[in-house]
């Protein structure tokens, strides 16, 4: 079994999902952009290579029905706000895609979360949006059975 480079926080899936939603809400506030937000909540994935009672959360979501100008504004606001809110930007550039959309990778070691943010402008295939993928470090559940049936 592999060893983690940190001590996992003890937390069961429901509180971990709530914390992940809280992190996502704070990120949305940092954009300063008003639009519609996708609904699915965070999912749970076991960190099996480190132990049966460990899991992480993953929350892909987006803010949409916004303009190209709001995409630019939101990404600029994030660049300014992330550092002031405990996040370290590890990459800030253009996505390796045909559209070359702006993207930011950041991590918050104190909160034990990472985020990948992409600003997508209106195209022939879809409207403008800011896409987020929020991922936690591994949490330690009260027991392996606390993760049974979780998704």
């Amino acid at each position: 079994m592999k060893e983690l480079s940190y001590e996992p926080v003890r937390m069961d899936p429901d509180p971990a999902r709530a914390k992940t939603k809280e992190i996502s809400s704070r990120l949305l506030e940092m954009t300063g952009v008003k639009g519609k937000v996708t609904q699915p909540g965070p999912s749970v994935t076991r960190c099996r290579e480190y132990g049966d009672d460990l899991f992480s959360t993953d929350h892909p979501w987006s803010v949409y029905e916004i303009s190209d100008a709001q995409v630019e504004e939101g990404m600029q606001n994030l660049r300014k706000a992330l550092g002031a809110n405990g996040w370290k930007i590890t990459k800030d550039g253009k996505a390796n895609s045909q559209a070359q959309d702006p993207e930011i990778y950041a991590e918050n070691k104190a909160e034990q979360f990472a985020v990948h943010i992409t600003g997508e402008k209106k195209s022939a295939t879809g409207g403008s949006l800011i896409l987020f993928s929020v991922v936690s470090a591994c949490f330690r559940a009260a027991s392996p059975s606390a993760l049974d049936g979780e998704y």
Side-chain angles (χ1 to χ4, degrees):
M1 197 170 313
K2 293 182 182 179
E3 288 289 319
L4 289 170
S5 61
Y6 58 91
E7 183 60 36
V9 173
R10 183 167 294 283
M11 192 177 300
D12 280 334
D14 286 341
R17 277 194 185 97
K19 181 166 181 67
T20 305
K21 284 182 186 177
E22 176 191 320
I23 296 284
S24 291
S25 292
R26 281 192 257 150
L27 289 165
L28 177 61
E29 287 173 19
M30 286 182 225
T31 68
V33 171
K34 301 286 184 224
K36 291 192 175 181
V37 178
T38 52
Q39 290 304 310
S43 62
V44 169
T45 304
R46 286 187 192 237
C47 302
R48 291 192 190 276
E49 65 272 24
Y50 301 106
D52 287 342
D53 60 345
L54 295 173
F55 70 96
S56 65
T57 60
D58 180 25
H59 191 204
W61 60 279
S62 63
V63 57
Y64 63 102
E65 290 193 6
I66 59 175
S67 67
D68 284 355
Q70 286 174 298
V71 170
E72 286 292 325
E73 176 189 350
M75 295 299 283
Q76 277 302 105
N77 289 344
L78 283 162
R79 285 180 184 97
K80 293 175 194 164
L82 285 166
N85 287 278
W87 293 84
K88 179 182 181 208
I89 295 176
T90 57
K91 181 184 179 201
D92 184 357
K94 296 184 189 265
N96 186 16
S97 66
Q98 187 174 355
Q100 298 281 292
D101 292 317
E103 70 178 353
I104 298 170
Y105 285 86
E107 57 187 30
N108 187 320
K109 292 208 185 236
E111 298 274 6
Q112 296 188 331
F113 277 85
V115 64
H116 175 213
I117 308 160
T118 308
E120 296 184 4
K121 295 190 176 172
K122 186 175 173 111
S123 69
T125 57
S128 304
L129 56 86
I130 302 174
L131 196 70
F132 294 80
S133 180
V134 179
V135 182
S136 75
C138 295
F139 293 108
R140 185 175 304 281
S143 70
S145 63
L147 298 174
D148 291 349
E150 293 293 336
Y151 58 90

